[in-house]
Amino acid sequence: MKATVVIGDIHGLETWKGIVDAHPDCRVVFLGDYLDPIGYVPRERLLSNLTEIIALKEHRPDEVVLLLGNHDLHYFCTDIDVSSRFDFAIGEKASRLFLEHIDMFQYAYQEGDYLFTHAGVSRAWFENDFHGDIHSSIAEQLNHPKDSQVPTLCRLGHTRGGDEGATGGIFWADERELSEPLPGFTQIVGHNRVAEVTTQEGNSGGKIVFCDCLWNGNYLYLE
């Protein structure tokens, strides 16, 4: 795998620019959640920041990967629950921005046994809810779900306020639902806020690396 820089949830932060500049020869994977800041960010700056990320993808189409998170999908996709901090004031502009460049975004990215999604994949969810095939490309299945798989893919789990007994899909999975990640893979995810890059291992050989730490100036570098 080419040396890769992984940038966690953006939420309006511009810190990614310095990281990208510091690693000009690396692949760059953004884990999603480009809008809906936790603190105050002027709305026009939010949209211009996303526009600059899209421009980076346009300039380096084979080296930049843009994943979608729950704070992105709710601006243009009715299959997903509306997340906190949804900004109705920029809703129309954000929706247009995503939809006009939708081919540049994806749900998952995979390089060998490295799997990148916004929130992560648990073994139980993939086998029992999504009904995926462990012997085929995981990212291909997640990026091109069957109609019957879409509700599960976008599901909000019980730990995040969903229905009793429900497990979150790849945009909503909570760290408490990922104690047994998909075996055989090292997953790189955002969504669950951490102060620094944090690794969690299951009993079946799967591993989750949490990277939602851009807010603290941190990111993941993979050689």
Side-chain angles (χ1 to χ4, degrees):
M1 185 172 67
K2 181 177 181 178
T4 300
V5 168
V6 184
I7 300 177
D9 303 27
I10 296 293
H11 290 306
L13 296 172
E14 298 178 315
T15 319
W16 64 270
K17 299 177 186 179
I19 297 170
V20 171
D21 288 344
H23 301 278
D25 299 321
C26 290
R27 175 182 289 114
V28 182
V29 179
F30 289 86
L31 296 175
D33 277 8
Y34 304 98
L35 302 175
D36 302 347
I38 294 174
Y40 173 72
V41 177
R43 291 186 172 104
E44 289 306 314
R45 188 186 301 171
L46 280 173
L47 294 172
S48 65
N49 193 44
L50 175 55
T51 300
E52 289 183 63
I53 291 172
I54 291 171
L56 179 68
K57 171 69 173 176
E58 289 177 321
H59 182 63
R60 299 170 58 186
D62 298 327
E63 298 176 337
V64 174
V65 176
L66 303 183
L67 299 186
L68 288 166
N70 54 303
H71 284 274
D72 309 314
L73 283 169
H74 67 182
Y75 281 102
F76 64 93
C77 179
T78 57
D79 289 309
I80 196 162
D81 290 277
V82 174
S83 306
S84 60
R85 306 192 304 278
F86 180 92
D87 193 338
F88 289 93
I90 64 169
E92 185 176 346
K93 290 182 178 179
S95 176
R96 188 182 308 117
L97 191 55
F98 279 117
L99 291 174
E100 287 178 352
H101 302 91
I102 195 62
D103 291 342
M104 296 184 183
F105 294 91
Q106 57 198 82
Y107 296 159
Y109 174 68
Q110 184 174 348
E111 279 282 342
D113 58 2
Y114 281 83
L115 177 63
F116 303 75
T117 63
H118 176 64
V121 180
S122 71
R123 179 176 189 170
W125 175 87
F126 186 77
E127 294 178 351
N128 303 327
D129 298 339
F130 187 72
H131 301 295
D133 180 2
I134 193 68
H135 302 294
S136 299
S137 168
I138 307 301
E140 182 70 17
Q141 296 174 70
L142 298 175
N143 283 323
H144 303 285
K146 301 173 184 177
D147 289 345
S148 60
Q149 294 174 311
V150 171
T152 301
L153 192 75
C154 299
R155 181 192 291 160
L156 174 64
H158 178 62
T159 55
R160 293 271 178 152
D163 295 337
E164 182 74 32
T167 301
I170 64 169
F171 309 107
W172 281 108
D174 187 85
E175 60 182 338
R176 291 164 290 183
E177 300 169 333
L178 297 168
S179 58
E180 284 301 329
L182 199 63
F185 292 90
T186 295
Q187 295 188 56
I188 314 296
V189 305
H191 188 61
N192 291 280
R193 209 174 197 217
V194 288
E196 58 186 17
V197 174
T198 304
T199 301
Q200 175 176 297
E201 296 189 32
N203 295 320
S204 302
K207 182 186 297 184
I208 296 268
V209 183
F210 296 103
C211 300
D212 180 10
C213 50
L214 185 65
W215 63 274
N216 209 25
N218 295 320
Y219 62 97
L220 175 65
Y221 176 76
L222 293 170
E223 291 192 79

